[in-house]
């Protein structure tokens, strides 16, 4: 820290990043470090929680607090941390298999609660850590190790799911646009409520279809097209434009789809918080006899 300003370097850990060269997750890590620095968040007041997968190694590469949890459970762990100490900035992160597959139930319930958590999903449309099986966002007909004749299921659309479930900040970024990612992360962290940032983050080793070039040929900026992120109908139309059942894949919107600031967070409504954050409340152990009496 110099002159009271936290430098970018101070958000970086000294653990070697082990992702494959060219993996889209590098841009997410860089973008997140830049967003934290732009907001001047103290590293000790930030916690990154992940599940399992290549992208879920991300807490190791930051100098904030971190919790590398189990498959699909980043959201419940992040929820517990946020509820214990709502003064912390809590960011959950992981991949599409982790968050939209095994963790899908947690994902939906966190959104309907409007917890003040930022959720970054590095969506590479494949299981990378387990060497290339179809994930919940793999495109229909895509050939993978687990689907040698092509995927027969429709992919999950995380953005329409988030709109339906009640997320109050919904955005999509692309690892080929590092500056745009940092901006989306910054806005998501500042948003009071549940923020989803789905990042198209190519797996250069196992997904040979959805590459950087493939996305560059299709991606466009919602902001440049004058999209109104306060308009639910417009957000739905844009979110549903890809992926969808018609398999239209010629134009993929990037940016903030939807943002709403008039919905109270779970923390705003939780009666237990009226006395202040739980971490600042007495544990009730000052008089153990009285506590034991409750159970007699
Ligand atoms: Fe990234 Fe894919 Fe390599 Fe995993 S396998 S680190 S997702 S490029």
């Amino acid at each position: 820290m110099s002159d009271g300003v936290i430098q970018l370097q101070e958000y970086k850990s000294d653990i070697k990043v082990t992702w494959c060269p060219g993996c889209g997750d590098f841009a997410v890590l860089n973008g997140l470090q830049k967003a934290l620095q732009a907001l001047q968040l103290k590293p000790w007041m930030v916690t990154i929680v992940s599940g399992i997968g290549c992208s879920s190694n991300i807490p190791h590469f930051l100098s904030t607090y971190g919790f590398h949890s189990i498959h699909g459970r980043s959201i419940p762990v992040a929820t517990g941390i946020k509820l214990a100490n709502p003064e912390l900035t809590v960011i959950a992160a992981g991949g599409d298999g982790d968050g939209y597959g095994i963790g899908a139930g947690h994902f939906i319930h966190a959104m309907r609660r409007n917890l003040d958590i930022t959720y970054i999903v590095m969506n590479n449309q494949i299981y990378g850590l387990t060497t290339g099986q179809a994930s919940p966002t793999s495109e229909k007909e895509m050939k993978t190790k687990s689907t040698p004749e092509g995927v027969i299921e429709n992919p999950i659309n995380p953005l329409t799911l988030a709109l339906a479930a009640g997320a109050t900040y919904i955005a999509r970024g692309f690892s080929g646009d590092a500056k745009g990612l940092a901006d989306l992360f910054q806005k998501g962290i500042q948003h009071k409520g549940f923020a989803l940032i789905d990042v198209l983050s190519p797996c250069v080793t196992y997904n040979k279809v959805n590459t950087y070039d493939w996305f560059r040929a299709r991606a466009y900026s919602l902001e440049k097209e004058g999209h109104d992120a306060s308009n639910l109908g417009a957000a739905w139309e844009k979110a549903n434009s890809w992926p969808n059942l018609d398999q239209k894949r010629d134009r993929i919107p990037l940016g903030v789809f939807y943002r709403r600031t008039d919905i109270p967070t779970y923390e705003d409504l939780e009666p237990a918080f009226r006395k202040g954050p739980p971490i600042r409340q007495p544990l009730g152990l000052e008089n153990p006899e009285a506590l034991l009496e409750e159970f007699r």
Side-chain angles (χ1 to χ4, degrees):
M1 197 182 294
S2 65
D3 301 330
V5 177
I6 307 172
Q7 304 300 313
L8 189 62
Q9 193 62 29
E10 292 172 68
Y11 295 95
K12 299 179 181 178
S13 79
D14 50 13
I15 293 175
K16 187 172 180 289
V17 182
T18 48
W19 293 320
C20 306
C23 176
D25 298 350
F26 281 99
V28 174
L29 176 62
N30 293 340
L32 185 53
Q33 288 162 338
K34 282 188 181 140
L36 294 173
Q37 200 236 351
L39 294 168
Q40 284 293 291
L41 293 174
K42 298 177 177 73
W44 57 92
M45 290 302 289
V46 178
T47 302
I48 317 282
V49 186
S50 67
I52 293 294
C54 294
S55 54
S56 283
N57 286 330
I58 197 165
H60 300 272
F61 310 138
L62 290 142
S63 66
T64 63
Y65 283 109
F67 195 129
H68 191 170
S69 76
I70 54 174
H71 202 197
R73 312 300 174 212
S74 64
I75 296 256
V77 175
T79 300
I81 293 169
K82 186 70 183 177
L83 294 187
N85 187 359
E87 293 169 1
L88 291 175
T89 295
V90 178
I91 299 167
D96 42 296
D98 185 77
Y100 303 148
I102 192 167
H106 302 303
F107 176 52
I108 291 166
H109 290 289
M111 292 189 286
R112 81 179 171 89
R113 292 177 183 133
N114 199 30
L115 288 149
D116 188 16
I117 288 173
T118 305
Y119 188 32
I120 297 170
V121 181
M122 289 159 263
N123 181 358
N124 56 23
Q125 300 169 265
I126 198 112
Y127 280 97
L129 189 68
T130 49
T131 71
Q133 297 79 17
S135 86
T137 53
S138 295
E139 293 205 335
K140 206 165 185 180
E141 296 168 15
M142 183 180 179
K143 290 187 176 167
T144 71
K145 274 190 183 168
S146 58
T147 57
E149 294 185 41
V151 171
I152 58 172
E153 298 162 303
N154 295 306
I156 274 186
N157 182 327
L159 305 191
T160 51
L161 187 60
L163 275 170
T168 48
Y169 175 94
I170 301 170
R172 178 191 283 137
F174 169 45
S175 289
D177 173 19
K179 193 167 170 296
L181 271 188
D183 183 52
L184 293 178
F185 294 160
Q186 192 176 325
K187 287 180 183 147
I189 293 167
Q190 283 177 304
H191 175 76
K192 199 163 176 288
F194 192 94
L196 169 70
I197 302 120
D198 180 76
V199 182
L200 304 173
S201 181
C203 170
V204 294
T205 304
Y206 295 111
N207 187 337
K208 303 296 185 189
V209 176
N210 309 107
T211 62
Y212 286 95
D213 286 345
W214 191 91
F215 285 117
R216 280 196 187 100
R218 293 164 174 80
Y220 70 95
S221 161
L222 284 170
E223 194 178 352
K224 283 188 187 153
E225 292 217 346
H227 172 67
D228 175 5
S230 67
N231 183 327
L232 180 61
W236 183 270
E237 186 199 329
K238 293 298 182 189
N240 196 42
S241 66
W242 181 84
N244 58 34
L245 294 181
D246 300 323
Q247 295 229 70
K248 286 185 188 159
R249 56 215 293 259
D250 52 337
R251 297 198 81 215
I252 300 177
L254 301 179
V256 180
F257 287 68
Y258 189 61
R259 179 168 37 204
R260 187 165 174 176
T261 55
D262 61 333
I263 303 288
T265 65
Y266 185 91
E267 300 90 305
D268 288 335
L269 299 174
E270 171 53 58
F273 282 18
R274 286 185 199 138
K275 290 188 232 156
I279 198 160
R280 305 221 175 279
Q281 293 182 34
L283 286 173
L285 298 176
E286 299 74 15
N287 184 355
E289 275 308 311
L291 185 65
L292 287 172
E293 195 55 43
E294 284 183 31
F295 299 95
R296 285 187 182 127

